[in-house]
Amino acid sequence: MIAITLLGTGSPMPDPDRAGPATLIQAGGENYVVDCGRGVVMRLVAAGVAPGAVTAVLVTHLHSDHITDLGDIITTHWVTTFEPTPLRIVGPPGIRATVDHIVASLGPDIGYRIAHHDDLNRAPLLAVTEVVSGPVELGGSVAISAGPTDHRPVHPSIGFRFDHEGTAVVVAGDTVPCAGLDELCAGSDALVHTVIRKDIIADIPIQRLQDTLDYHSSPAEAAQTAARAGVGTLVLTHYVPAFPSGGGDDWKALAAEHFAGRIELGDDLHRVEIEHGRS
Ligand SMILES: [Zn+2]
Ligand SMILES: [Zn+2]
């Protein structure tokens, strides 16, 4: 069984009820965090996972809403662990430099804490891996692979696949439908996909919003990707514009026109369990 928890279902638009994009994937006692949007550590703890218990952080792309609180995970993992276990961070090319800049920005804090705590004598231990496609060796019981998505001009962007004991879940991140994602999803059981309501955004006369139309998927497009891949479950997240808490039936209906399987969406901390062959 693989458990999916939507840690943050929001977007760049601040929302008191929705954290920024982040998804928790749990299997075999391991905890993988995909993207680190606003408030990810608070939601992670609400889901019962301390930052020190994160097996790896996986970043789909370097848009700010997906990495805003990566620094919080790095810092909190660092100050709350006692063994020299590195925090593993995986992302597309560019993630290494981004992490280096975050750590550099924490320089004064790292210095203060090392000077003040006798048993804290090292900077955060981080193991960063850059990947575009193929297997990602993290040494756990969950097999992880990456595949290229299409979020241009944000490039490169990637999705992640988690395989555990015959069950497979793909987390797509922000993308339009593309062959790379189709390939990653083939034969998997569930797809977690970010979505925007293009029908609503198209009618809002703000150019900055209109600009988001051409590099995200609508519920219909995400559903078509899910249908092509033959997954049993489609999980929608990163709602733009967000629907009121407890809502989303209209989003579900739009996806259901193109996908006959189970469709899940909801508020932050919505949890979905995936078992191969069952939906
Ligand atoms: Zn993005
Ligand atoms: Zn985004």
Side-chain angles (χ1 to χ4, degrees), residues 61 63 65-66 151 154 174 215-216 238:
H61 64 294
H63 253 154
D65 55 318
H66 293 248
H151 191 37
V154 178
D174 294 350
Y215 67 173
H216 287 98
H238 187 288

Side-chain angles (χ1 to χ4, degrees), residues 109-277:
D109 176 73
I110 292 168
Y112 303 144
R113 291 184 197 280
I114 289 175
H116 188 69
H117 302 290
D118 280 346
D119 69 340
L120 195 59
N121 49 23
R122 48 170 178 79
L125 270 183
L126 306 170
V128 182
T129 305
E130 297 193 332
V131 65
V132 173
S133 66
V136 183
E137 290 304 334
L138 293 176
S141 67
V142 179
I144 295 170
S145 51
T149 55
D150 185 352
H151 191 37
R152 284 173 293 175
V154 178
H155 183 79
S157 60
I158 56 179
F160 293 100
R161 174 172 172 146
F162 302 83
D163 281 87
H164 184 255
E165 294 180 349
T167 300
V169 169
V170 171
V171 181
D174 294 350
T175 182
V176 293
C178 64
L181 181 57
D182 283 353
E183 212 170 291
L184 195 64
C185 291
S188 68
D189 300 289
L191 169 63
V192 182
H193 206 307
T194 70
V195 277
I196 75 169
R197 282 287 297 273
K198 298 186 178 185
D199 55 322
I200 296 174
I201 300 290
D203 287 338
I204 303 175
I206 299 173
Q207 186 58 43
R208 206 168 293 174
L209 279 174
Q210 303 276 330
D211 291 342
T212 65
L213 293 173
D214 63 1
Y215 67 173
H216 287 98
S217 289
S218 64
E221 289 169 320
Q224 287 161 353
T225 297
R228 276 196 307 280
V231 302
T233 302
L234 170 64
V235 183
L236 304 177
T237 188
H238 187 288
Y239 317 117
V240 184
F243 50 79
S245 180
D249 285 350
D250 45 342
W251 293 61
K252 238 183 203 180
L254 288 168
E257 288 175 20
H258 304 273
F259 175 67
R262 171 166 69 143
I263 300 169
E264 292 279 343
L265 49 67
D267 300 328
D268 288 8
L269 297 176
H270 184 67
R271 179 182 157 105
V272 182
E273 295 188 351
I274 305 296
E275 200 97 49
H276 180 62

